[in-house]
Amino acid sequence: NMVGHMAQHFVRHTGRKGRPSKKVLTGEAFEEIKRLERKYVKRLPIGKEEPMKKEKTKTWYKKKLDKVFSQYIREKAEKDGIILCYICGKRLTMSTAQCMHYVGRANLSTRWDEENCRAGCSSCNVFKNGNYPEFTKRLLEDIGTKKLKRLIEKGREVRPWTIEDLKNEINRYGE
């Protein structure tokens, strides 16, 4: 840390017979370290038990929305405590099901689109890379060709999300 680094520069070695035996801070060095502590060491606000909290970033809100949206998609697919994988039909629980995206998550314009997402198993979602042939077949049956084409085109659009947009979606889907 900065204070420890600066302290090394202000240490005077003293000892018997001219040999250094222990490190002692000089008065000037001690004052410099105190000054650096005031500048770099975060102090608790007076009368508060915890330090002041940092503002949450857009990345934090994206992660939060991912969590609540995934929960929403899985709850939507749940019937009597069981979720069937959208692609292969495997029986899953809330904790084992995943939120699968037809148009990849990197595309923010469709990342939190309900038509783009379905609950599924890790085998189809991860190990079979989304199992797109079967995913496409089932989506065509569910939403039709016109909506699927619109979804793919929407995925090519650039959607700038503000923190306020993300907060609104978090409130819409979850907490």
Side-chain angles (χ1 to χ4, degrees):
N1 71 23
M2 182 67 153
V3 175
H5 177 71
M6 292 300 293
Q8 291 174 355
H9 292 288
F10 292 99
V11 171
R12 179 173 44 128
H13 299 281
T14 60
R16 292 186 189 161
K17 297 182 183 174
R19 283 186 244 137
S21 60
K22 61 181 181 176
K23 296 179 180 182
V24 178
L25 290 177
T26 64
E28 181 183 316
F30 184 77
E31 291 304 317
E32 180 65 12
I33 289 171
K34 286 296 178 192
R35 185 187 70 74
L36 290 169
E37 278 181 345
R38 286 191 298 275
K39 185 174 181 180
Y40 294 106
V41 177
K42 189 167 186 170
R43 304 257 183 226
L44 295 176
I46 296 174
K48 301 236 177 173
E49 293 177 14
E50 294 182 20
M52 293 172 20
K53 294 183 180 178
K54 290 182 183 177
E55 281 234 6
K56 293 178 176 134
T57 63
K58 190 185 284 191
T59 301
W60 186 90
Y61 285 105
K62 283 180 185 178
K63 287 178 183 178
K64 180 70 171 175
L65 181 53
D66 282 339
K67 184 177 177 181
V68 297
F69 183 76
S70 174
Q71 180 81 21
Y72 171 82
I73 293 296
R74 290 177 288 138
E75 284 174 358
K76 196 170 138 180
E78 183 182 31
K79 290 179 181 66
D80 299 323
I82 299 295
I83 299 170
L84 297 178
C85 174
Y86 183 72
I87 297 173
C88 70
K90 181 178 177 181
R91 293 168 56 99
L92 307 163
T93 63
M94 280 295 281
S95 62
T96 59
Q98 296 183 353
C99 180
M100 302 188 311
H101 295 74
Y102 185 74
V103 177
R105 288 182 42 177
N107 306 73
L108 294 181
S109 56
T110 55
R111 184 171 179 162
W112 302 290
D113 186 324
E114 290 180 49
E115 285 190 340
N116 186 44
C117 298
R118 299 291 186 272
C121 67
S122 60
S123 176
C124 290
N125 194 29
V126 178
F127 302 114
K128 295 179 184 174
N129 294 319
N131 198 352
Y132 280 102
E134 193 63 32
F135 204 162
T136 304
K137 178 183 162 193
R138 295 195 187 265
L139 269 182
L140 282 170
E141 292 170 3
D142 278 0
I143 65 174
T145 307
K146 194 174 186 179
K147 283 188 176 181
L148 186 58
K149 282 183 181 179
R150 200 173 323 136
L151 180 66
I152 292 167
E153 287 185 19
K154 185 179 177 184
R156 293 183 185 128
E157 296 171 5
V158 175
R159 166 74 157 88
W161 288 82
T162 64
I163 288 178
E164 199 58 39
D165 293 335
L166 296 168
K167 284 180 181 179
N168 291 336
E169 293 296 299
I170 290 168
N171 290 333
R172 177 178 170 197
Y173 289 112
E175 300 171 11

